[in-house]
Amino acid sequence: MWDDAFPSFLIGLREGLEAGLIVSILVATLVRAEARSRLPQVWTGVLAAMAVAMSFGAVLTFTAASMPQTAQEAFGGTLSVIAVAFVTAMVFWMRRSARNLSSELKQKVTGALAMGSGMLVLTSFLAVGREGLETALFLWTTAQAAGESAGPLTGAAIGLVLAAGLCWGLYRRVLRINLTKFFTATGVVLIVIAAGVLGYGLRDLQEGGVLPGRTAYAVDLAGSIDAGSWYSTLVQGVFNLMPTMTWLQVVAYVGYLVVVMTLFVRGVRATAPKPKPEPAERPAAEAPAGPRSRTGRRPAWLVPVAVVAVPAVIAALVVALGRPKPAGDQTVAVSETDCGKGFTAPTPGRQTFRMHNTGRQASEVYLVDPSTNAVYGEIEGLAPGTTRDLVATVAGGTYAWRCVPASGKAVTSKPVTVRGGGAAKPVTPVSEQDLAGPLKAYKAYVGHGLDTLVGQTGTLRRDIEGGHLDKARTDWLTAHRTYASLGAAYGTFEDFDKKIDGRADGLPGGEHDKDFTGFLRLEYGLWHGQSAKELTGPARQLDTDAAGLRKAFPSQDFDPGDLPLRAHEILENTLQFELTGDTDEGSGTNLATADANLTGTRELLTVLEPLLTSRSPRLLPTVDADIDRVRKLLDAAHDGGHWTPVEKLPAAGRQRLDGATGQLLEDLAPVPDLLEIRKSA
């Protein structure tokens, strides 16, 4: 957790020390001016600054949580860039102003003493508030980068506590610290950290679609660096440097670091010959005593409570108004005869609708653009008498509800018009006709592959019949990879798949059971010393089953709606079985099977490309980059015809392969939703 905590620890320590020094100077000035009775006014201003900073952090957190994912990324990226600007300005301001900070604050306090209690509260509030807002913003951005880790908050808390202790020691003269050197050293480190935050923020803006170049990678070390290792975690947490970075990130990181660090170092050298006593090491000079505060009728606790309560209330209102309406705000009734009853034009933004089926049939419910039939949100199988929430992002445009009952015709509600800005991306519906072309192309690919497979299983059979078991092992792998590359069609192979590539799991006799047939049966025998005589029967059976599948496939039913599902399911099985070694019967070639599955996935995406590109232009470039990354890791695991068994992969290499495959699965996850066949009648 320390890797995530360090940047926040440093900002907490530095900002806390800056704020603490300011408070120390304010307090010392009042004490020397014999105006101790005015100290509560200073603490009231400090308390108000803290309340505003904490409320600001709450607004950022809860406002971002209510946004769609892409909007969250754009919002977080924008604030990261702003945070970098603030931190950069703070570093240069402290380097320039540290020597004169004490005298400037004394003058302000002296003026405030003559102008009444309100000015003293305002002076302390403004002096501390800047550090508080900077701290809140920077901590929020580092917390976003760390995800669910508690490191940023832990590090910030430790830094603030340590800063408070140092400030107390400086004020009481029990500590002596060269603050000029301290702020210079921490400034250098903060500039490096800020460069990483800038890169992270720009990546968020790319993910959110604000900036281009999302898949234009300048650095891609995912295949050679273990993202879970301690050193990788440390670099990512402290410096926000990732194994995979785009050109925009790299250029911004290097450019910021070179320009800002050069200016900072030059500024330090230019001012180094003129050291002055540090402000907190020497008590403030005596200032003329101002007028004593006047005793008012209001209770002493009223102002401190107000300065905390007012920012908290304002923050709560901002969060409440910015979040989506609760589900109960708009209940929409649907049935087989009346769809969308109670629906009124919502305000733009992320909305939650409570859908209640008042009819007698289960129904599919869609929020659509009636002019294009594009879908903004949906509920499948809403049963009679039940209520479920539908969440959708609404922008300016026309909306209607479409209800498709289990039997009967679809019913569409009266359209409503929403006025306002924002962006909502509906999904263009897909029909069976849309998938007819891709399905035809893919069935042709599978048919050609089955022709090849039958030839290869025949060769394998002849190898075994002739007693050429070494050659049979090579030809077995060739044929098995061909079959694995047809994985998208396994849902239509019916009983043939169990015969051709069935597992021994669950069979009473295990690998020796008479019903254990196909590739895995031959694999077990070829790599466990069985004779050609023992393997001839299984080899002939495999050849017969492959020929039977080729003959039966043209007449087998292939649901067009299953085609998009296969894009995800092939590699789900790969991660579950091949990359765990679960289906290895002795050959150690599970990674070769995984490579063939990857080929099948890419072929499937090729036939689906026109439909996917028109609905999500950035999806396929991202997936292609993921596939290339997995392919490189698999290529590194074999030399010619020899493949490294999964269990013999180095721990770091296995983690990288699993991680890259998991990322590919995550990026493939939207495909079934984008190409789902939705009922329209």
Side-chain angles (χ1 to χ4, degrees):
M1 185 174 64
W2 176 244
D3 48 283
D4 288 329
F6 178 72
S8 297
F9 164 77
L10 184 62
I11 197 69
L13 175 61
R14 184 183 169 103
E15 294 277 10
L17 191 54
E18 287 184 22
L21 288 173
I22 291 171
V23 173
S24 298
I25 295 169
L26 294 175
V27 171
T29 303
L30 290 177
V31 170
R32 286 302 188 93
E34 298 183 359
R36 290 178 179 270
S37 61
R38 308 291 292 275
L39 288 177
Q41 296 163 15
V42 171
W43 295 117
T44 298
V46 172
L47 196 62
M50 293 172 59
V52 169
M54 295 176 67
S55 299
F56 178 59
V59 168
L60 293 179
T61 301
F62 290 105
T63 300
S66 66
M67 295 178 176
Q69 184 62 35
T70 53
Q72 287 186 35
E73 290 167 347
F75 182 69
T78 301
L79 290 182
S80 295
V81 174
I82 294 173
V84 170
F86 279 179
V87 169
T88 306
M90 173 266 290
V91 167
F92 281 90
W93 174 79
M94 198 60 190
R95 187 207 68 198
R96 183 178 63 252
S97 305
R99 294 182 182 84
N100 302 320
L101 184 63
S102 179
S103 58
E104 291 178 3
L105 285 172
K106 290 173 189 174
Q107 293 175 5
K108 291 181 179 179
V109 171
T110 301
L113 282 171
M115 297 179 67
S117 60
M119 283 304 300
L120 192 55
V121 171
L122 182 61
T123 299
S124 58
F125 170 78
L126 294 176
V128 178
R130 168 188 169 130
E131 325 308 324
L133 291 176
E134 286 177 351
T135 304
L137 181 56
F138 197 81
L139 291 183
W140 187 85
T141 56
T142 53
Q144 289 293 108
E148 297 181 0
S149 171
L153 292 180
T154 302
I158 295 173
L160 290 171
V161 170
L162 181 57
L166 291 175
C167 287
W168 181 87
L170 290 170
Y171 178 77
R172 304 296 298 180
R173 295 189 179 185
V174 297
L175 285 177
R176 293 184 64 84
I177 298 176
N178 189 322
L179 293 175
T180 299
K181 291 183 178 180
F182 172 83
F183 285 119
T184 299
T186 56
V188 169
V189 179
L190 273 179
I191 289 172
V192 176
I193 292 174
V197 173
L198 177 62
Y200 171 82
L202 293 177
R203 179 60 177 170
D204 267 357
L205 290 173
Q206 289 179 311
E207 294 286 348
V210 177
L211 295 177
R214 179 185 178 190
T215 58
Y217 296 115
V219 178
D220 188 357
L221 302 178
S224 55
I225 292 179
D226 179 10
S229 64
W230 67 267
Y231 56 86
S232 179
T233 304
L234 182 66
V235 171
Q236 291 180 53
V238 175
F239 302 110
N240 275 308
L241 289 175
M242 304 300 171
T244 303
M245 296 181 70
T246 64
W247 278 105
L248 179 61
Q249 287 179 277
V250 172
V251 171
Y253 182 91
V254 174
Y256 173 89
L257 203 57
V258 170
V259 173
V260 176
M261 190 68 77
T262 300
L263 293 175
F264 183 78
V265 172
R266 284 180 179 176
V268 170
R269 290 175 178 173
T271 56
K274 303 176 182 179
K276 292 185 180 180
E278 303 299 340
E281 295 182 49
R282 193 179 295 249
E286 292 195 22
R292 300 284 181 177
S293 59
R294 292 170 292 187
T295 303
R297 294 183 179 180
R298 61 174 178 263
W301 52 265
L302 182 61
V303 174
V305 169
V307 299
V308 173
V310 170
V313 170
I314 294 175
L317 289 174
V318 171
V319 171
L321 294 175
R323 301 186 74 176
K325 292 181 178 180
D329 276 7
Q330 188 169 153
T331 299
V332 181
V334 300
S335 70
E336 58 269 25
T337 58
D338 189 5
C339 185
K341 185 176 181 180
F343 178 50
T344 58
T347 57
R350 194 164 175 81
Q351 302 293 337
T352 304
F353 303 96
R354 173 162 290 180
M355 311 305 299
H356 179 60
N357 190 342
T358 59
R360 296 182 179 181
Q361 296 185 43
S363 182
E364 310 289 318
V365 182
Y366 304 103
L367 179 64
V368 301
D369 179 343
S371 62
T372 63
N373 291 325
V375 177
Y376 291 92
E378 63 183 292
I379 293 179
E380 297 181 356
L382 182 62
T386 61
T387 301
R388 285 162 60 185
D389 288 346
L390 186 150
V391 180
T393 299
V394 176
T398 305
Y399 297 83
W401 291 102
R402 177 162 296 153
C403 305
V404 185
S407 61
K409 295 183 178 181
V411 181
T412 303
S413 71
K414 182 180 178 181
V416 300
T417 300
V418 175
R419 304 190 184 281
K425 294 182 178 180
V427 176
T428 304
V430 174
S431 66
E432 289 193 16
Q433 185 62 35
D434 293 328
L435 287 171
L439 179 57
K440 182 179 180 181
Y442 198 75
K443 289 184 74 172
Y445 163 78
V446 173
H448 178 73
L450 290 174
D451 289 340
T452 303
L453 177 67
V454 170
Q456 292 170 344
T457 56
T459 300
L460 176 60
R461 172 181 56 79
R462 290 188 291 273
D463 290 341
I464 293 176
E465 288 175 340
H468 308 299
L469 297 188
D470 286 340
K471 186 174 184 299
R473 293 185 184 94
T474 300
D475 290 337
W476 174 89
L477 180 58
T478 301
H480 190 231
R481 291 192 65 184
T482 296
Y483 184 77
S485 69
L486 310 179
Y490 65 77
T492 65
F493 287 170
E494 298 174 351
D495 292 338
F496 283 101
D497 184 57
K498 187 175 181 180
K499 296 175 183 178
I500 293 174
D501 207 30
R503 301 169 62 192
D505 296 0
L507 296 177
E511 282 85 356
H512 303 285
D513 196 283
K514 62 181 179 62
D515 292 327
F516 183 35
T517 61
F519 280 110
L520 299 188
R521 168 66 182 89
L522 286 175
E523 179 186 7
Y524 179 81
L526 286 169
W527 275 271
H528 283 83
Q530 291 187 349
S531 66
K533 182 178 180 180
E534 293 175 286
L535 295 175
T536 296
R540 289 173 177 172
Q541 183 65 50
L542 173 61
D543 191 26
T544 299
D545 291 336
L549 174 59
R550 179 183 62 174
K551 182 178 179 179
F553 177 71
S555 61
Q556 288 180 336
D557 183 33
F558 198 136
D559 185 351
D562 287 344
L563 197 61
L565 294 174
R566 299 295 180 257
H568 197 266
E569 289 177 348
I570 298 174
L571 292 177
E572 274 188 338
N573 284 352
T574 302
L575 191 61
Q576 181 180 358
F577 299 117
E578 273 69 46
L579 296 187
T580 60
D582 190 57
T583 53
D584 186 1
E585 291 289 352
S587 69
T589 60
N590 269 29
L591 296 183
T593 306
D595 185 69
N597 288 338
L598 203 62
T599 298
T601 300
R602 189 182 281 279
E603 180 65 29
L604 179 61
L605 293 172
T606 298
V607 301
L608 293 174
E609 181 176 359
L611 295 176
L612 289 172
T613 301
S614 63
R615 287 161 175 80
S616 182
R618 293 193 298 269
L619 188 147
L620 281 182
T622 300
V623 168
D624 286 342
D626 291 340
I627 290 177
D628 290 342
R629 193 175 299 119
V630 175
R631 181 82 72 187
K632 288 179 182 177
L633 293 171
L634 291 172
D635 287 344
H638 77 94
D639 181 13
H642 177 264
W643 289 80
T644 303
V646 171
E647 65 273 11
K648 292 186 178 180
L649 283 174
R654 190 167 178 176
Q655 288 175 1
R656 287 196 293 270
L657 181 57
D658 289 345
T661 307
Q663 182 62 52
L664 173 55
L665 277 169
E666 182 178 335
D667 290 334
L668 283 171
V671 172
D673 287 335
L674 288 171
L675 302 184
E676 179 184 358
I677 298 176
R678 292 172 168 85
K679 296 180 181 179
S680 59

